Amino acid sequence: GVVKWADELRKLAIEVICQNVLGLAPSATTDEIRADYMAVLSGMTSMPIPFPGTTYSRAKNARDRLLERFRKLVAEHRAHPTQDGLSRILAAKLPDGTQFSDEELVLELHRTVIAGYIVFGILMDIGWQLHAQPEILERARAEVERMGPALDLEALYSAPYLTQVVMEAKRH
């Protein structure tokens, strides 16, 4: 059958982030979170017209739903910690003993999820562009192969062509 891989990768992005950071298994809830983030991202590039029914207003409403959902998750995790990222953040303390306030944590969760969602979008675009332009794929592959089997993060940072590919995907 036909697979709409962009939609599937968006779904995967939210499911992975929600599972690891929020402790939410894939479900109708993660589908709602994904739909709200799609609305938020649409609003980021819309005209800021605060009238009901505009893309901007739908984005603000989606953002408000997300923040309220995160407030409830923070309260639940404070009462019943688990092993997910949110519980670990709640347990973390700075050397002076201070911790995130609940509202600070809600905003950090929002930033974390949206950043992860955007990064998945960039990866999706890189995959699409490499598929559509095999000469770029071959040149990138050759650069990776020249690095040899001891590939590490430092080597990747010093790879000029791979860096150009990533920068172009971010620009796009």
Side-chain angles (χ1 to χ4, degrees):
V2 174
V3 175
K4 294 183 178 182
W5 73 283
D7 293 341
E8 291 302 315
L9 281 175
R10 284 187 193 104
K11 184 175 180 179
L12 176 64
I14 289 296
E15 288 176 352
V16 168
I17 294 165
C18 287
Q19 180 83 44
N20 290 294
V21 178
L22 305 174
L24 296 174
S27 63
T29 298
T30 56
D31 289 341
E32 291 167 6
I33 290 171
R34 178 172 42 96
D36 279 342
Y37 272 110
M38 289 178 74
V40 168
L41 289 173
S42 293
M44 291 172 78
T45 58
S46 69
M47 293 293 293
I49 302 170
F51 294 126
T54 64
T55 301
Y56 179 76
S57 290
R58 285 192 301 272
K60 284 182 65 176
N61 291 337
R63 182 214 50 206
D64 292 346
R65 282 190 302 273
L66 289 161
L67 295 178
E68 187 56 34
R69 185 182 304 270
F70 292 160
R71 285 183 189 98
K72 290 177 183 174
L73 284 168
V74 167
E76 290 169 10
H77 279 69
R78 278 213 189 274
H80 306 286
T82 64
Q83 293 299 311
D84 59 27
L86 175 53
S87 292
R88 291 177 182 180
I89 294 168
L90 284 167
K93 293 182 183 180
L94 292 173
D96 67 1
T98 59
Q99 294 179 288
F100 275 113
S101 71
D102 286 1
E103 200 56 27
E104 288 171 330
L105 187 50
V106 164
L107 293 176
E108 286 305 314
L109 289 172
H110 176 56
R111 291 178 190 126
T112 298
V113 175
I114 200 164
Y117 194 62
I118 290 168
V119 167
F120 261 76
I122 291 169
L123 289 173
M124 182 176 57
D125 191 57
I126 289 171
W128 179 255
Q129 293 301 326
L130 292 176
H131 171 76
Q133 301 177 62
E135 66 281 358
I136 294 174
L137 174 61
E138 287 309 313
R139 190 169 166 193
R141 180 179 287 139
E143 187 170 66
V144 170
E145 288 172 358
R146 281 192 301 275
M147 291 181 214
L151 187 62
D152 60 14
L153 199 52
E154 187 176 323
L156 286 173
Y157 283 143
S158 65
Y161 191 70
L162 293 178
T163 300
Q164 290 172 353
V165 169
V166 170
M167 296 305 284
E168 180 61 14
K170 289 168 85 174
R171 185 195 65 77
H172 184 259

